[in-house]
Amino acid sequence: MKNTRTVQRAISVFAVIAFIGFALSSCGGNGSPVAPPPLDEFTVTFVTGGGTVMSPVQVQDGDLVPSQPNPVRAFTPGAGLWSDDPFALFDTFVEWQHNGTAWDLATDTVTADMTLTAVWTAPAPIEAPGANVVAAAVAHVNANPGVFTLLINANVDLGGVVATLNAEDADLTIIGLGGAREITRTGNGATLTVTGGAGRRLTIGNNITLPGRDQTGSVVTVVGGAEFVMLDGSLITGNDTSSGNGAVNVTGDSTFTMRGGSITGNTSTNTTSNAAGGVFVNNDAVFAMHGGSVSGNTGAWGDVLVQTAGDIFLSGSAEIGTLQLTANATANASVTIETGWAGSITGGLNLRGAWPSLTPTIDWWAGNTVLEGPGFTAALVGQFPLGDFLSNQTDADGHVRQRIADTHMIDEDGVLVELLP
C-alpha cells in the first residue's frame, strides 16, 4: 500500500512539472505569449490588355483580392458605319479571368501567386464593310436619320450609283483608315450629292479623296438648302467638267463649309459664265471657308466663282488662288472677312458684272459694298490683289469701255478702306 502511494505522488509531481514547463515554454520563458507562425503571402498581378494600368497587390493565403475598380480601355474602331463618333467610344469590361476561368473578387480566395486578366467586348459597326459600303451607309442614314460616321479602309467604287444624302436630320461623315481612300463612280454626274433642305449634312474627312473624271457634271453637288463639309486631309482633284459648274457645285440656298483639305487640279472646259474649275457658288448659296485651300484649278473663271446672290466668308487660314465675284443689275455676290483671317487670295480678286440691258449708265459692278467684316484693316489690302478684268466691253451705243470695278471695304469701325488696283 505504501509503495503504491509513493508511485502516485511521483506521477503527480511529474505532471505538475510538465505542465509548468509547457506553460513557461508557451510564454517564451518570460510570461509573454508566442505569436503563431505568419501566413503565406502571394502576389496578384493584373493584365488589362491596353486598359487602365493596375499595380500588383499582396494578398495573404486564403484571403480575397481587395476590391478593384473596373479598368477602362479606349475603343479602336475598324471599317464600317458607326453611330455618332466611334473614336469617342470605349470597350466594355466584362470580367476578370484566371487561367481562362472567371474570377469573382467577392468570393474567390487566393492560394498562390496568380494573374488576373481583363476580358473585354468591343462595339460593333451598324454596317460592316462591303463592296459598296458608301452607298449602303447613305441608304441606312436616309432611312434612320441621325449622326453617323463611316470608316473605310479600302477604295470604294460606286459603279453607276450616285450616293445621295437627302433625309431630314441625316448627318454622315466619311473618314479613311490607314491611308488615302478613294471614292469613285462611273458615268457622268456627281459622285456625292446632298439635297433636300436644311438639316442634311455630308462631310468628308481625313484620308478621303474624290478623284474626278471626264464628265459633264461636278464631283459634289449641294442643293436645296443642304450642307457639304470638307475637313483636314480631304482632297478633291482630277475633275474635268464640260458643264463648267466646278468640282463642287453649291446652289439653291445651300452651304459649303470648308475647314481643311484641298481642291486642286480640277478643270472646266466650258467657256460660259459658270466656268470655274474648283468651286461654283450660286443662287443664295454660301461658301464658308475657314481653312484649307482651293488653288491650282483651271477654267474660264479660275478657282472659285461666286455667282449672283452668292456669298463667301473667309476666316482662319483659308487660301484661294483666284476668286471671281459676279453681279447683275439687281444683285451681286459678296465677300465677308471674319476676324483673324490669316489666309490670302494669291491669284487675284476679280469682280465681273453683267452689262445691264436697260441703260448703259449702271456700273459694270452693280453692288457698292464688296468687302466687309469685323477686323478689316488697311493692312489686309495686300491680300486682295486686283486684276484688270472688265476690259473691252461694248455698251449699247457701240462704245468700248475698259473699266476696273469700284471696290471698297468697311472696317470694324465703319470707316471706308479703299482697295486700289
Side-chain angles (χ1 to χ4, degrees):
M1 178 70 68
K2 183 177 181 179
N3 291 337
T4 300
R5 289 175 179 169
T6 301
V7 171
Q8 289 174 342
R9 289 192 186 98
I11 293 173
S12 297
V13 171
F14 177 79
V16 171
I17 294 172
F19 174 78
I20 293 172
F22 174 78
L24 290 174
S25 66
S26 298
C27 293
N30 57 7
S32 299
V34 176
L39 297 175
D40 290 335
E41 191 172 68
F42 302 110
T43 300
V44 178
T45 302
F46 301 93
V47 176
T48 60
T52 306
V53 176
M54 302 178 64
S55 301
V57 296
Q58 301 299 120
V59 182
Q60 288 189 336
D61 187 10
D63 283 355
L64 300 173
V65 176
S67 179
Q68 302 292 319
N70 288 343
V72 176
R73 186 171 75 175
F75 171 61
T76 303
L81 178 66
W82 301 88
S83 178
D84 212 337
D85 181 5
F87 297 99
L89 298 177
F90 290 86
D91 290 331
T92 300
F93 173 75
V94 178
E95 64 183 6
W96 293 108
Q97 287 188 1
H98 174 55
N99 292 335
T101 301
W103 183 272
D104 189 341
L105 297 181
T107 59
D108 293 335
T109 58
V110 177
T111 58
D113 291 338
M114 61 182 300
T115 298
L116 293 180
T117 302
V119 177
W120 307 87
T121 58
I126 298 169
E127 293 275 355
N132 201 342
V133 67
V134 172
V138 169
H140 181 93
V141 177
N142 282 334
N144 306 274
V147 180
F148 295 86
T149 301
L150 175 64
L151 305 179
I152 60 175
N153 58 1
N155 296 338
V156 177
D157 184 0
L158 292 168
V161 176
V162 178
T164 300
L165 193 73
N166 56 21
E168 185 177 1
D169 296 325
D171 189 329
L172 176 63
T173 298
I174 306 176
I175 297 174
L177 292 177
R181 307 300 180 188
E182 294 186 349
I183 302 175
T184 59
R185 68 170 291 254
T186 57
N188 289 321
T191 300
L192 302 176
T193 296
V194 52
T195 184
R200 287 85 167 164
R201 179 167 57 193
L202 180 62
T203 302
I204 59 171
N206 190 35
N207 289 332
I208 294 298
T209 296
L210 301 180
R213 58 204 184 280
D214 293 338
Q215 57 169 350
T216 60
S218 304
V219 176
V220 178
T221 59
V222 194
V223 296
E227 182 181 12
F228 174 62
V229 181
M230 286 183 68
L231 304 178
D232 284 338
S234 57
L235 173 64
I236 298 178
T237 189
N239 187 55
D240 188 350
T241 172
S242 60
S243 68
N245 291 336
V248 176
N249 180 358
V250 51
T251 187
D253 203 29
S254 297
T255 301
F256 173 26
T257 302
M258 193 172 186
R259 301 190 181 278
S262 176
I263 300 175
T264 187
N266 301 283
T267 301
S268 171
T269 57
N270 195 304
T271 58
T272 68
S273 61
N274 293 343
V279 178
F280 174 63
V281 184
N282 187 38
N283 192 17
D284 295 314
V286 172
F287 182 15
M289 191 176 183
H290 307 298
S293 172
V294 184
S295 63
N297 304 282
T298 58
W301 282 16
D303 292 295
V304 178
L305 168 61
V306 183
Q307 191 71 286
T308 304
D311 298 288
I312 181 170
F313 293 81
L314 298 175
S315 68
S317 59
E319 298 275 354
I320 295 179
T322 302
L323 171 61
Q324 308 275 359
L325 305 179
T326 69
N328 59 29
T330 59
N332 60 276
S334 68
V335 176
T336 299
I337 305 301
E338 299 183 4
T339 302
W341 178 55
S344 63
I345 300 174
T346 59
L349 170 63
N350 295 343
L351 311 181
R352 294 178 180 264
W355 182 254
S357 59
L358 296 177
T359 170
T361 61
I362 300 177
D363 286 345
W364 289 94
W365 178 255
N368 51 14
T369 302
V370 177
L371 305 174
E372 61 181 343
F376 236 157
T377 65
L380 290 178
V381 171
Q383 294 174 247
F384 292 92
L386 297 177
D388 183 2
F389 33 80
L390 293 177
S391 61
N392 300 327
Q393 301 290 332
T394 303
D395 64 19
D397 297 324
H399 300 135
V400 175
R401 290 193 175 191
Q402 186 172 23
R403 169 185 172 78
I404 301 297
D406 294 331
T407 310
H408 66 270
M409 61 187 178
I410 299 174
D411 69 13
E412 58 189 344
D413 297 320
V415 177
L416 179 66
V417 180
E418 292 187 358
L419 288 179
L420 300 178

